[in-house]
C-alpha cells in the first residue's frame, strides 16, 4: 500500500467493499497466514530489561503459531469454549502474546491492567464472568500474584488460575504455564473450532478515569479490520520493525503495535516487561531502536510511538538511523522525554491512545493537511467503539 496523503487516496480505498477484500475470518487465521508465509521470520523480539538491551529473545512466526496452538489447546482441555472468558494479568512478555491470541482462538480474551487495585480487578473479572485467569507468578518487584491470591475467592465463575513464570505451586491450586504447554500439540487446534468473523474475540476494559472500568466487546471482524486499516494507513510492510512500549492490556499496544504488524509479517519488539515505564528503556531508547533494526534481518525501518501525556506531542518514523518528526495535537498515554527525541523536519507516523480516539484525531489531522489519516470503510461497524462516518464523507461536508 502506498502512502495515504490525499482525499483521493482514501476515496480509492473506499471504492472497494470490505467484503471484496477477503480479509481473514479471525485473528487466529490472520497470524496463521503470516506464519505460513514467513515461518522463519522473527515475529517477536523481547528485551528482558532496558539496561540489557543487547540481550534479546526472538520468537519466529512458526514458533508463535505453535505457542498459540498450545495455549488454545490447554484452554480447550480446561473447558474453555467460544463463549468463555480468559482474563490476563500480565506485563509485556512473549507469553502475553501467546496468551492473547491463544485465548482468542479458544474463547474470549480479557486483558486487565495489573496496576489496578485488587478490588477493581475482581469487579472486572466478575463482570466478564471469567472462567480462567492467566497471571504473572510470584516474582521480585511484582505484586500481581498477591492480587491474584486476594481476588480468587471474590470471582465465583473463576475455575482455574494459570501461573506464568515464578516457582510452580501445587498443581491442585495453580496450573503452571510453561510446564503445562509442553503437553499439548503445537501444530493444530484440538478443538477443531471454525472461528466466525462475528464471534466475540475480546473484552477490553476502559481506563476507569470517568467511573468504574467498563467492558467493550470486540468481534474477530472488528480486530481483523482494525489491523488491516492500520497497515493501510501506516503502509506497514514485512520488512518493518515495530517497537511496542505500551502495555498489552490496552487496545493500542495489542492492535496498533501487535496484530497490525503481525498481520503482514512484520516484527514486533517488546521493550521490556514494563515498556516505557522502564527507566532503562528511556535511557537507551535510541540504542535499542538501532539494535532492533539489526536484530531483525538488518531491517532499516523502525516504527514506534513515543506517546505523551500532553496533547501536544511528536510521533516519529526512523529509517537508516535517521529520524523525522513533526509536532501536532493528539492524545497519548505515556511520556517519552523531549531530551530523548531527535528533531528534524519531514514526514510523520502517528496514532492515538485508543481506536475511537485514533479515528477522531485522524479526522482532525487530515482536515488540517497533516500527512496521514485513519480511514473507515462504508458498511463496517466497530462494536465497542463510537460509530464514525467515513473520512471522505466527513471532509466533503466541510
Amino acid at each position: 500500500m502506498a502512502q495515504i496523503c490525499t482525499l483521493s487516496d482514501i476515496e480509492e480505498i473506499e471504492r472497494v467493499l470490505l467484503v471484496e477484500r477477503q480479509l481473514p475470518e479471525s485473528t487466529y487465521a490472520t497470524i496463521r497466514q503470516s506464519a505460513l508465509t514467513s515461518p522463519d521470520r522473527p515475529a517477536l523480539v523481547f528485551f528482558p530489561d532496558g539496561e540489557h538491551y543487547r540481550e534479546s529473545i526472538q520468537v519466529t512466526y512458526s514458533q508463535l503459531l505453535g505457542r498459540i496452538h498450545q495455549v488454545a489447546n490447554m484452554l480447550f482441555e480446561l473447558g474453555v469454549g467460544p463463549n468463555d472468558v480468559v482474563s490476563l494479568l500480565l506485563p509485556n512478555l512473549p507469553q502475553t502474546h501467546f496468551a492473547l491470541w491463544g485465548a482468542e482462538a479458544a474463547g474470549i480474551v480479557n486483558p486487565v491492567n495489573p496496576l489496578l487495585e485488587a478490588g477493581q480487578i475482581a469487579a472486572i473479572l466478575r463482570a466478564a464472568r471469567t472462567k480462567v485467569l492467566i497471571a504473572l507468578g510470584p516474582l521480585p518487584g511484582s505484586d500481581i500474584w498477591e492480587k491474584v491470591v486476594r481476588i480468587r475467592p471474590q470471582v465465583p465463575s473463576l475455575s482455574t488460575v494459570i501461573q506464568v513464570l515464578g516457582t510452580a505451586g501445587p498443581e491442585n491450586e495453580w496450573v503452571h504455564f510453561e510446564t503445562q504447554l509442553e503437553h499439548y500439540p503445537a501444530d493444530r487446534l484440538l478443538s477443531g473450532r471454525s472461528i466466525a468473523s462475528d464471534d466475540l474475540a475480546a473484552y477490553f476494559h476502559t481506563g476507569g478515569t470517568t467511573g468504574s472500568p467498563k467492558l467493550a466487546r470486540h468481534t474477530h471482524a472488528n480486530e481483523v479490520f482494525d489491523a488491516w486499516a492500520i497497515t493501510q494507513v501506516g503502509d506497514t510492510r514485512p520488512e518493518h520493525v515495530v517497537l511496542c512500549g505500551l502495555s498489552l492490556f490496552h487496545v493500542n499496544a495489542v492492535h496498533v503495535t501487535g496484530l497490525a504488524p503481525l498481520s503482514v509479517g512484520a516484527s514486533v519488539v517488546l521493550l521490556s516487561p514494563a515498556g516505557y515505564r522502564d527507566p532503562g528503556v528511556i535511557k537507551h531508547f535510541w540504542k535499542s531502536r538501532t539494535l532492533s533494526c539489526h536484530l531483525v534481518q538488518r531491517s532499516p525501518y523502525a516504527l514506534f510511538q513515543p506517546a505523551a501525556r500532553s496533547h501536544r506531542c511528536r510521533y516519529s518514523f526512523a529509517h537508516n538511523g535517521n529520524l523525522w518528526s513533526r509536532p501536532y495535537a493528539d492524545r497519548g498515554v505515556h511520556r517519552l522525554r523531549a531530551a530523548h527525541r531527535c528533531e528534524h523536519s519531514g514526514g510523520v507516523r502517528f496514532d492515538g491512545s485508543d481506536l475511537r480516539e485514533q479515528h477522531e484525531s485522524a479526522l482532525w489531522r487530515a482536515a488540517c493537511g497533516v500527512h496521514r489519516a485513519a480511514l473507515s470503510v462504508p458498511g463496517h461497524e466497530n462494536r465497542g467503539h463510537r460509530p464514525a462516518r467515513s473520512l471522505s464523507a466527513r471532509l466533503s461536508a466541510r
Side-chain angles (χ1 to χ4, degrees):
M1 177 67 198
Q3 178 175 328
I4 299 174
C5 299
T6 66
L7 178 58
S8 62
D9 293 332
I10 297 167
E11 290 173 336
E12 183 63 30
I13 290 176
E14 294 186 339
R15 285 191 186 97
V16 181
L17 295 176
L18 184 60
V19 67
E20 296 176 5
R21 295 189 179 276
Q22 297 184 330
L23 299 182
E25 290 289 306
S26 64
T27 58
Y28 166 72
T30 297
I31 297 174
R32 183 175 182 273
Q33 182 174 282
S34 294
L36 295 177
T37 303
S38 306
D40 298 324
R41 182 167 179 77
L44 305 172
V45 178
F46 173 62
F47 292 159
D49 76 75
E51 289 293 344
H52 300 88
Y53 60 91
R54 295 186 182 277
E55 302 171 12
S56 67
I57 297 170
Q58 294 197 26
V59 179
T60 66
Y61 271 94
S62 176
Q63 292 169 331
L64 173 61
L65 181 61
R67 287 304 194 190
I68 291 170
H69 283 148
Q70 289 177 310
V71 170
N73 291 336
M74 176 172 62
L75 294 172
F76 174 65
E77 189 176 84
L78 290 171
V80 173
N83 297 317
D84 293 316
V85 176
V86 179
S87 294
L88 311 183
L89 278 174
L90 295 169
N92 287 14
L93 301 166
Q95 292 93 326
T96 310
H97 271 283
F98 306 158
L100 277 166
W101 312 119
E104 289 198 2
I108 302 168
V109 76
N110 170 227
V112 179
N113 181 357
L115 299 180
L116 292 174
E117 297 294 331
Q120 289 179 302
I121 295 172
I124 291 172
L125 268 57
R126 286 195 298 271
R129 298 182 181 178
T130 298
K131 186 168 189 174
V132 174
L133 173 63
I134 304 178
L136 185 70
L139 290 172
S142 170
D143 65 350
I144 292 177
W145 194 249
E146 296 173 18
K147 294 177 181 178
V148 170
V149 173
R150 289 173 57 190
I151 67 177
R152 185 172 188 178
Q154 302 176 38
V155 185
S157 60
L158 182 59
S159 62
T160 307
V161 175
I162 299 175
Q163 174 190 330
V164 175
L165 302 176
T167 304
E171 290 188 8
N172 61 333
E173 293 185 20
W174 325 107
V175 174
H176 196 256
F177 187 83
E178 286 77 15
T179 303
Q180 290 299 314
L181 277 193
E182 302 306 326
H183 297 160
Y184 299 95
D187 60 344
R188 65 193 184 280
L189 293 177
L190 292 178
S191 66
R193 182 186 178 191
S194 178
I195 305 172
S197 61
D198 59 355
D199 284 351
L200 284 174
Y203 293 155
F204 278 84
H205 67 78
T206 58
T209 53
T210 57
S212 299
K214 305 166 187 66
L215 295 177
R217 301 188 306 168
H218 293 195
T219 66
H220 281 271
N222 291 155
E223 296 193 343
V224 170
F225 168 80
D226 286 335
W228 171 80
I230 289 162
T231 62
Q232 299 303 294
V233 172
D235 189 20
T236 311
R237 306 174 187 177
E239 64 267 25
H240 284 164
V241 179
V242 178
L243 307 189
C244 176
L246 304 182
S247 302
L248 285 171
F249 57 80
H250 197 282
V251 289
N252 192 307
V254 173
H255 298 108
V256 179
T257 57
L259 185 61
L262 294 176
S263 72
V264 297
S267 300
V268 175
V269 176
L270 299 175
L271 293 169
S272 88
Y276 292 136
R277 290 187 177 92
D278 185 334
V281 167
I282 303 302
K283 179 181 177 181
H284 300 295
F285 185 82
W286 301 112
K287 294 177 183 178
S288 61
R289 182 206 61 78
T290 302
L291 182 62
S292 299
C293 293
H294 289 281
L295 282 172
V296 185
Q297 299 180 7
R298 298 191 175 274
S299 168
Y301 299 94
L303 284 61
F304 61 95
Q305 335 163 240
R309 290 190 181 277
S310 168
H311 280 252
R312 183 158 295 279
C313 56
R314 293 178 185 271
Y315 282 64
S316 310
F317 174 60
H319 173 253
N320 284 333
N322 298 316
L323 179 75
W324 297 270
S325 63
R326 171 183 288 190
Y328 63 89
D330 202 356
R331 300 168 176 85
V333 289
H334 294 287
R335 176 176 290 113
L336 182 64
R337 294 197 301 267
H340 295 281
R341 295 197 298 255
C342 295
E343 299 186 0
H344 302 285
S345 61
V348 65
R349 295 264 172 171
F350 47 73
D351 43 61
S353 63
D354 71 25
L355 298 179
R356 176 180 60 78
E357 291 174 346
Q358 179 184 346
H359 186 91
E360 292 173 346
S361 57
L363 287 169
W364 176 87
R365 293 192 301 268
C368 294
V370 182
H371 282 193
R372 300 198 174 188
L375 58 100
S376 66
V377 174
H380 171 73
E381 176 190 3
N382 188 354
R383 279 181 277 175
H385 297 284
R386 183 184 302 168
R389 295 159 60 191
S390 72
L391 181 56
S392 56
R394 181 73 173 267
L395 295 181
S396 298
R398 288 180 57 85

